[in-house]
Amino acid sequence: DDQLEQINDEDISYSIDVPKGVDAIMYMGSGSTAEEVAVFTAPDEETARTTEENVQSFLDDQSDSFEKYIPEETKRISNAVLEKKGKYVVLCVCGDSDKAKEIIEKAFK
């Protein structure tokens, strides 16, 4: 529903505590929706677990923030897809979480 744009590493780190050694790519919407997609590649599974926890904290903060000014977007956040697959962590906040999960699962097969 929104136009997503890639954000730079500095902006990602401003929003999410990305552990050292983790590569990240993230696309975010304009702010009028909570839509975003991100992939984090950690050097190992332990760091991936930490990354997943940090992304969950980010989602919690996003939910609180959107609750204040666009409360209808909190549903997207609460239905976000956050998956850890080995050393990868994938986040997708969108209007169709089931389809997003299906696409993510297919990408890891």
Side-chain angles (χ1 to χ4, degrees), residues 45-102:
E45 286 196 48
E46 183 178 329
T47 306
R49 266 189 294 283
T50 300
T51 303
E52 181 183 30
E53 291 167 5
N54 295 351
V55 173
Q56 183 59 59
S57 293
F58 164 74
L59 283 175
D60 295 342
D61 291 345
Q62 285 287 81
S63 183
D64 291 345
S65 179
F66 273 94
E67 181 65 40
K68 293 175 185 158
Y69 69 98
I70 310 176
E72 58 274 12
E73 286 298 306
T74 58
K75 182 177 181 187
R76 283 187 213 252
I77 298 168
S78 65
N79 290 328
V81 178
L82 178 58
E83 298 275 333
K84 186 185 94 50
K85 302 284 187 182
K87 63 180 187 168
Y88 300 97
V89 176
V90 180
L91 167 67
C92 185
V93 179
C94 63
D96 189 346
S97 296
D98 290 337
K99 184 67 175 175
K101 189 169 186 133
E102 179 184 314

